[in-house]
Amino acid sequence: MIEKFEFLGEDEGVSLLVFGSVHGNEVAGKFALEQLISEINDGKIVIKKGKLVVVPVCNKEASIKDVRQIDENLNRVMKEWENPNTYEKKLANELVGLIKDCDVLLDLHSTHCKGDEPFVFCDYPKENNLKLIDVIDVKYVLEGWPDIYAGQSEIEDFSTERACFEYGKSGTTLECGYHKEVGAQNVAYDAVVNALKVFGLIDGQKPQSISKTHILMKNFVIKKKEGKLLKEYKHLDRVYKDEVIARYDDGQILVAENDGYILLPNLKCEIGAEWYYFGVKKL
């Protein structure tokens, strides 16, 4: 069901896997990877060492329909299923096979709101993750994702990064900015090229370390019923203790428990999904 592109270097080296469009409407990674594949085929980029495997569109049917998913969130079911009963679980079985064969995964995502700041997740601080995160040109790193899902039972979290961790691989997720902004595509493209350089798959000067602000994720809010966010929040907007963030149609309000940041707000969130996350600056 998935289409992959594989490029082998003449010498042994790191096996780098890159995903785009795990969520069908997140097109920045797809466009960047299509550009990368074209440049490799034209000889503008030459893989000298190791192996590069590229999946520009992980969720093809959702991509065709320009929706996030078909049956369920692919980035919550990324493990092996004996009897996959949804479209995304069937995809997960194929994608996990690729994860098990790689050394490092870079998973390219994008966000819901215009003007969103790009950032990278550091769920599991393994050596190759840290090496990759260090050279990705974004200002923010989000930490603590596994912990906020571990303490609850409403949503089971099997993300690409968790799959990498479970199978002894390294995995990093890059959120490139708003889906359809050209800048997000550029962030994705530059990140992949820097990954190729830092792991030695292509020639070129190794990218320099880039200073970042680290945000510790504290919790998330599931949308329980009809309601709306009180502002058109963007990712990493500051919020303050007791600030009203959302109101349900029945009048119930949701407030910030402390000063911090609203993360990944979903202005078009469906009931039962993650509405927004909350984090604080890591000291």
Side-chain angles (χ1 to χ4, degrees), residues 37-45:
I37 291 166
S38 176
E39 291 180 1
I40 293 174
N41 288 335
D42 290 343
K44 295 178 181 178
I45 293 177

Side-chain angles (χ1 to χ4, degrees), residues 25-200:
N25 60 348
E26 298 184 13
V27 296
K30 176 184 75 169
F31 292 148
L33 294 176
E34 288 172 347
Q35 177 185 348
L36 178 78
I37 291 166
S38 176
E39 291 180 1
I40 293 174
N41 288 335
D42 290 343
K44 295 178 181 178
I45 293 177
V46 179
I47 304 300
K48 295 291 188 68
K49 296 180 180 179
K51 180 171 69 171
L52 172 65
V53 178
V54 178
V55 183
V57 180
C58 291
N59 197 328
K60 183 176 180 180
E61 290 302 316
S63 179
I64 291 170
K65 296 181 179 180
D66 194 28
V67 295
R68 183 174 175 83
Q69 62 204 44
I70 298 299
D71 296 319
E72 59 185 328
N73 187 342
L74 177 55
N75 211 29
R76 299 293 179 274
V77 297
M78 196 66 70
K79 66 175 185 175
E80 291 179 310
W81 299 89
E82 287 189 13
N83 298 297
N85 58 358
T86 68
Y87 174 69
E88 274 81 10
K89 286 188 174 79
K90 293 174 184 176
L91 290 177
N93 279 355
E94 291 190 64
L95 296 169
V96 165
L98 297 180
I99 288 173
K100 292 169 73 173
D101 287 339
C102 81
D103 296 315
V104 181
L105 168 68
L106 175 58
D107 186 12
L108 302 172
H109 288 248
S110 49
T111 55
H112 302 282
C113 305
K114 291 182 179 179
D116 273 349
E117 184 82 33
F119 68 95
V120 64
F121 281 104
C122 183
D123 290 356
Y124 304 97
K126 298 176 71 172
E127 180 181 357
N128 281 337
N129 286 347
L130 296 176
K131 184 184 292 188
L132 177 54
I133 289 168
D134 190 47
V135 299
I136 292 178
D137 191 8
V138 296
K139 297 178 182 178
Y140 295 95
V141 179
L142 266 60
E143 302 180 17
W145 178 278
D147 293 335
I148 64 173
Y149 279 91
Q152 55 81 50
S153 59
E154 293 175 276
I155 294 179
E156 193 170 28
D157 175 50
F158 284 93
S159 64
T160 54
E161 288 193 55
R162 178 171 175 181
C164 288
F165 179 76
E166 296 288 344
Y167 296 112
K169 312 298 180 179
S170 294
T172 297
T173 299
L174 172 61
E175 297 278 359
C176 303
Y178 177 57
H179 301 322
K180 298 178 182 179
E181 287 180 344
V182 174
Q185 178 182 335
N186 293 338
V187 168
Y189 176 85
D190 290 345
V192 178
V193 171
N194 281 354
L196 293 171
K197 290 179 179 178
V198 81
F199 292 119

Side-chain angles (χ1 to χ4, degrees), residues 219-257:
N219 56 45
F220 63 91
V221 173
I222 296 173
K223 190 174 185 180
K224 303 285 190 180
K225 49 196 170 184
E226 293 296 340
K228 64 180 181 180
L229 300 177
L230 291 197
K231 298 179 183 177
E232 291 194 2
Y233 285 106
K234 297 191 296 294
H235 174 65
L236 288 165
D237 274 352
R238 292 298 305 270
V239 293
Y240 300 93
K241 182 176 172 61
D242 297 328
E243 177 179 342
V244 179
I245 295 176
R247 177 178 287 113
Y248 287 117
D249 290 354
D250 63 8
Q252 180 185 354
I253 60 173
L254 302 176
V255 303
E257 296 180 4

